[in-house]
Amino acid sequence: MASAFLQRGQTTPILLLDRTELRRWLGQQNVTTRRWVENAGFTAKPGSHCLLPGRGGELKAVLAGKRDSGPLYQLSSLYKGLPKGGYHIAPENQDELLPAELEQLFLGWGLAAYRFNRYKRQSAGKARLLLPKALKPAVSALTDAQYLVRDWVNTPTEDFGPDELAAAVVQQAESFGADVGIVRGDELLTQNFPAVHAVGRACTRPPQLIHLSWGDEDRPGLSLVGKGVCFDTGGLDIKSAVGMLKMKKDMGGAAHVMAIARLVMQFQFPVRLNLFIPAVENSIAGNAYRPGDVIPTRRGKTVEIGNTDAEGRVILSDALTRACEDNPELLLDFATLTGAARVALGTDLPALFSNDDEVAGGLLAAGEQVEDPLWQLPLHQPYRRLIASKIADLANVAKSGFGGAITAALFLQHFVGRQIPWVHVDTYAWNDADRSGRPSGGEALGMRAVFHYLRARYR
Ligand code: BES
Ligand code: ZN
Ligand code: ZN
């Protein structure tokens, strides 16, 4: 992250303008400048820019077309387009924006500078942007958090199985003095996490429940749960090749809650933080859990497995039960849970479910403010009948394929205490194509919305 920004030095101004502002600005320039801009064909079209030379041919300033869609991705397209050198945002632009908008503006630059360099060096932009001191803590923390999600999701399962995921959580915990407890392999049975074990037992890399805790125990409890399926083959109900291709990203929920936890610790929110990640691979082997099996859960409810590919909700059932044992004042889970949520809302809009309208409203509003939108879907109680089972307390898949994101959320609700305000986010954690500021591959979707909400709630 550090490399995309500068803290000091000689820099060239970037002036953001819309068409009207460009006309006014040109009116104040000499004829040479006016001709230059005209010949360059620069009309302040959103996303376009124009390099302005000084008398000696040196770069004097950059004009850039303003977007009307909000500040976040304003600078993202500039990042790769500018020549090597240091830049700053013109003071007049800084003055016209609120501090929160400025934060977004600079964050967009940081997000555009992301490269996944683990397996080969990717070409990066050579421009550096002067980051005002007051903005540095928030912009760098948010950039780092989003990079964490992208890096974790982009890393192939071979290098990011349950053990590596646990090690990565330990590494994060160490920087903040947090504690981590790990229940691994057959210990999951003795410690009563039977559902996590059932899903993960077919993999040679043992399943685990990772628990990070931080902050004084007498503070209000904030608990986070993230789906950590390091790879989802579908299990015995095996996925198609196309369906399986991206399934290294099925720990995206875990990455999202880790990023949120990091921000909570970094900004020292006055909470008792508990983070739970059930980490497994949904594999195929002779000892795999099967369609038709009935498995026990920590909550005591039995679950009939209608489809081994609906594994996320199964492991989350134990993690949510465990999280509720701390009686938190807010419980949030993130999961790449259903294809149905993507059919309903597309790739960019995570589905939000909640048993608390006030919290849901706050999160939706926060998402709007930071250009990280979420869309609420209902916990429609009558659909509970769809996940009833004849021989067990409930089934892990619905009788009807319709409303799949809702029936998955209703399944989770069975494992959340009625009195606990709870939010479930079904996210895609991925960009299918490159857009400026949003490279294809792993992506945080809904993470900044949650942070923005928590920031207002706890500070
Ligand atoms: N990890 C998938 C959900 C998923 C698929 C998320 C594609 C994003 C993109 C999940 O474990 C799954 O396979 N769900 C099934 C559930 C079905 C069997 C009821 C699904 O959505 O098809
Ligand atoms: Zn699955
Ligand atoms: Zn899955």
XYZ file of all heavy atoms in Angstrom, residues 194-203 207 229 280-283 288-289 295 305 308 310-312 314-315:
184
model
N -19.354 -30.785 15.756
C -19.499 -31.948 14.871
C -19.792 -31.595 13.421
O -19.396 -32.345 12.511
C -20.686 -32.716 15.495
C -21.447 -31.701 16.273
C -20.433 -30.717 16.763
N -20.467 -30.490 13.183
C -20.823 -30.139 11.799
C -19.593 -29.678 11.027
O -19.425 -30.016 9.848
C -21.907 -29.054 11.801
N -18.717 -28.921 11.697
C -17.469 -28.501 11.035
C -16.656 -29.736 10.672
O -16.113 -29.856 9.573
C -16.635 -27.572 11.959
C -15.340 -27.147 11.261
C -17.439 -26.350 12.386
N -16.615 -30.677 11.605
C -15.852 -31.905 11.379
C -16.431 -32.714 10.220
O -15.691 -33.184 9.345
C -15.836 -32.747 12.658
C -14.942 -33.945 12.564
N -15.388 -35.170 12.090
C -13.622 -34.109 12.847
C -14.381 -36.035 12.101
N -13.306 -35.419 12.559
N -17.747 -32.861 10.205
C -18.390 -33.686 9.161
C -18.055 -33.174 7.769
O -17.724 -33.946 6.870
C -19.905 -33.706 9.372
N -18.117 -31.862 7.586
C -17.851 -31.295 6.261
C -16.371 -31.425 5.909
O -16.009 -31.732 4.771
C -18.291 -29.813 6.193
C -17.839 -29.173 4.880
C -19.802 -29.690 6.350
N -15.496 -31.216 6.890
C -14.065 -31.116 6.585
C -13.293 -32.415 6.689
O -12.129 -32.474 6.282
N -13.916 -33.472 7.180
C -13.151 -34.672 7.517
C -12.582 -35.416 6.316
O -11.636 -36.199 6.449
C -14.015 -35.625 8.348
C -15.100 -36.317 7.543
C -16.079 -37.092 8.420
N -17.024 -37.798 7.595
C -18.246 -38.149 7.968
N -18.676 -37.863 9.197
N -19.043 -38.799 7.158
N -13.140 -35.206 5.123
C -12.677 -35.955 3.951
C -11.377 -35.399 3.385
O -10.791 -35.988 2.480
C -13.755 -35.951 2.877
N -10.942 -34.286 3.890
C -9.715 -33.690 3.362
C -8.517 -34.116 4.200
O -8.613 -34.224 5.421
C -9.834 -32.171 3.349
S -8.476 -31.380 2.499
N -9.849 -30.095 9.175
C -10.741 -28.950 9.399
C -10.414 -28.298 10.733
O -9.819 -28.925 11.606
C -12.127 -29.597 9.440
C -11.885 -31.006 9.880
C -10.543 -31.379 9.307
N -14.374 -21.898 3.724
C -14.222 -23.102 2.900
C -13.068 -22.830 1.920
O -13.219 -22.091 0.947
C -15.533 -23.463 2.176
C -15.318 -24.637 1.216
C -16.610 -23.830 3.195
N -12.327 -25.278 6.435
C -12.365 -26.650 5.925
C -12.104 -26.643 4.420
O -12.174 -25.601 3.775
C -13.759 -27.307 6.125
C -14.195 -27.310 7.577
C -14.822 -26.608 5.262
N -11.833 -27.835 3.896
C -11.989 -28.035 2.464
C -13.151 -29.001 2.293
O -13.209 -30.018 2.994
C -10.722 -28.634 1.845
C -9.634 -27.615 1.595
C -8.476 -28.203 0.788
O -8.735 -28.831 -0.261
O -7.335 -28.026 1.224
N -14.031 -28.683 1.383
C -15.150 -29.578 1.083
C -14.677 -30.542 0.001
O -14.752 -30.248 -1.183
C -16.364 -28.748 0.617
C -17.626 -29.578 0.470
O -17.721 -30.680 1.017
N -18.602 -29.050 -0.256
N -14.144 -31.682 0.456
C -13.438 -32.592 -0.451
C -14.224 -33.873 -0.700
O -15.248 -34.135 -0.066
C -12.075 -32.964 0.144
O -11.296 -31.814 0.316
N -16.015 -39.099 3.143
C -16.755 -37.836 3.010
C -18.174 -37.966 3.571
O -18.752 -39.051 3.551
C -16.827 -37.440 1.537
N -18.723 -36.850 4.062
C -20.143 -36.877 4.439
C -20.971 -37.007 3.171
O -20.541 -36.610 2.093
C -20.493 -35.683 5.320
C -20.814 -34.343 4.669
C -21.923 -33.594 5.092
C -20.012 -33.787 3.679
C -22.222 -32.361 4.550
C -20.314 -32.547 3.121
C -21.418 -31.839 3.556
O -21.717 -30.614 3.012
N -26.528 -35.325 10.325
C -25.382 -34.998 11.173
C -25.827 -34.181 12.383
O -26.785 -33.409 12.322
C -24.279 -34.261 10.394
C -24.799 -32.934 9.861
C -23.740 -35.108 9.241
C -23.689 -32.007 9.475
N -28.615 -34.002 5.319
C -27.849 -33.466 4.194
C -28.566 -33.833 2.887
O -28.580 -34.990 2.473
C -26.407 -34.028 4.185
C -25.698 -33.719 5.516
C -25.613 -33.456 3.008
C -25.609 -32.244 5.885
N -24.400 -32.142 -0.523
C -23.131 -31.857 0.170
C -22.503 -30.547 -0.299
O -21.550 -30.063 0.306
C -22.110 -32.998 -0.056
O -21.867 -33.128 -1.465
C -22.631 -34.318 0.507
N -24.082 -27.771 -0.258
C -24.575 -26.706 0.627
C -23.845 -26.838 1.969
O -24.447 -27.002 3.028
C -26.088 -26.806 0.788
N -22.496 -26.813 1.898
C -21.649 -27.079 3.058
C -21.436 -25.848 3.937
O -21.173 -25.978 5.133
C -20.293 -27.624 2.602
C -19.258 -26.576 2.151
C -19.689 -25.740 0.948
O -20.550 -26.201 0.179
O -19.162 -24.623 0.778
N -21.533 -24.661 3.319
C -21.229 -23.430 4.061
C -22.133 -23.277 5.267
O -21.684 -23.049 6.395
N -23.683 -25.486 6.816
C -23.474 -26.563 7.792
C -22.334 -26.185 8.757
O -22.484 -26.260 9.974
C -23.183 -27.906 7.086
C -22.915 -28.999 8.110
C -24.358 -28.299 6.185
N -21.215 -25.731 8.220
C -20.111 -25.358 9.127
C -20.436 -24.085 9.899
O -20.047 -23.925 11.052
C -18.763 -25.215 8.387
C -18.796 -24.130 7.317
C -18.349 -26.552 7.765
C -17.408 -23.796 6.741
